Amino acid sequence: MTISDIATLVCTKMGRTDSDTLSVAKSLLKRRYQMIYDSALWAESLATVSKAVVAGDPDVTLDGNPDVYYAPNQYVSGSNAPRLEIPISVRFIVTAETDGIELVPSDWWTFFQIDPNILTNDSSHRARPTRFIHLPRVNTGSATPARIRLVPSPDTDGTVYVLGKLKWAEPADSDTPTINGIENTLLAMCEADMLERHRQYGKAQIKMNEAGVLLTQMREAHKNQFASETVIIPWGASDSRSELGF
């Protein structure tokens, strides 16, 4: 179902199908869609971006075109697709080599606790990067690409390959939501918002409770039905058993 289809169905259930009501429903629907999009790392929100790295320059702006991504229908190529907003996983590969190393995400406090000098960008401290830090995004108008700092500063040229979350992109009315199974949740949320708009607060609360259940079911479907790798974490003998209930 497209954004327009969902809004039309909600307005039909409300018994109000005039153009003004339909326009309001579409606007509310898109805001709810953005709320759900921002709430989790949905598989459909992820993308990969690569960027060349120059020796001695640890700061990398991830403004390249997404290589693999899902986006609303009007974004038909990487050049006009949304930019990467949240880096999740980073791999650094030295130029002319075929294998690389996955960098560990870290924060500023980690390095100040271990060795603040590792952040120094001079020849005596440069080496193959092993970690990365999130940097504030740069405002370049409509695009605000993510940035990372490689630690330590690279001593050789290379390329970073980044898996991350794309910035939210406003869908057109004719677009189909890209998150799998989101339609029923959006229907319930939009109907709740429309009921609230008409001051039917009791009914709106009931509908929003239904939307919460549908959202939980959608999260479970994404977790259980999508391809994933199962990891078994050993439980150490020194760990507290209270968390297991005995």
Side-chain angles (χ1 to χ4, degrees):
M1 299 177 70
T2 65
I3 295 294
S4 183
D5 292 336
I6 298 173
T8 299
L9 180 56
V10 169
C11 290
T12 300
K13 291 182 68 176
M14 297 287 297
R16 298 172 181 265
T17 57
D18 58 279
S19 59
D20 289 341
T21 302
L22 184 59
S23 178
V24 170
K26 290 177 181 177
S27 178
L28 293 172
L29 187 60
K30 292 176 183 179
R31 297 289 67 77
R32 289 296 185 179
Y33 183 16
Q34 181 179 8
M35 182 195 76
I36 296 173
Y37 181 93
D38 291 340
S39 70
L41 292 174
W42 307 103
E44 298 86 349
S45 70
L46 304 180
T48 59
V49 171
S50 60
K51 188 66 181 289
V53 175
V54 179
D57 187 1
D59 295 348
V60 183
T61 300
L62 303 172
D63 55 359
N65 298 336
D67 300 315
V68 178
Y69 68 98
Y70 297 91
N73 296 340
Q74 74 266 31
Y75 299 100
V76 295
S77 65
S79 61
N80 65 356
R83 301 296 93 177
L84 207 66
E85 182 176 42
I86 304 175
I88 301 169
S89 180
V90 178
R91 177 171 288 272
F92 177 79
I93 300 179
V94 175
T95 300
E97 294 186 5
T98 57
D99 198 8
I101 181 173
E102 184 173 356
L103 307 187
V104 179
S106 304
D107 54 48
W108 296 101
W109 295 272
T110 300
F111 299 108
F112 278 98
Q113 291 172 347
I114 300 174
D115 179 14
N117 292 322
I118 198 174
L119 296 172
T120 304
N121 185 16
D122 59 38
S123 58
S124 63
H125 290 91
R126 291 173 188 159
R128 299 288 175 88
T130 58
R131 297 173 179 267
F132 75 93
I133 305 173
H134 291 256
L135 294 177
R137 287 176 289 161
V138 176
N139 187 355
T140 57
S142 59
T144 53
R147 297 193 304 147
I148 58 174
R149 172 167 294 178
L150 307 182
V151 182
S153 180
D155 61 353
T156 182
D157 295 346
T159 303
V160 288
Y161 296 87
V162 183
L163 171 68
K165 185 171 183 176
L166 290 174
K167 183 179 177 63
W168 160 258
E170 182 91 4
D173 294 348
S174 57
D175 286 339
T176 299
T178 55
I179 300 177
N180 190 48
I182 197 176
E183 289 84 359
N184 288 332
T185 304
L186 288 178
L187 277 167
M189 286 186 171
C190 185
E191 187 173 347
D193 287 336
M194 293 299 288
L195 286 168
E196 190 176 70
R197 179 173 182 260
H198 293 289
R199 294 176 173 78
Q200 299 184 39
Y201 300 111
K203 293 180 180 179
Q205 185 59 57
I206 293 173
K207 206 64 185 177
M208 189 55 71
N209 291 341
E210 177 187 333
V213 172
L214 291 170
L215 180 58
T216 300
Q217 292 176 350
M218 187 180 73
R219 291 181 187 274
E220 288 298 316
H222 275 250
K223 182 171 64 176
N224 298 325
Q225 295 181 15
F226 280 34
S228 61
E229 181 179 357
T230 301
V231 178
I232 299 176
I233 302 176
W235 187 267
S238 61
D239 294 326
S240 172
R241 294 187 176 186
S242 61
E243 296 181 18
L244 296 177
F246 64 90

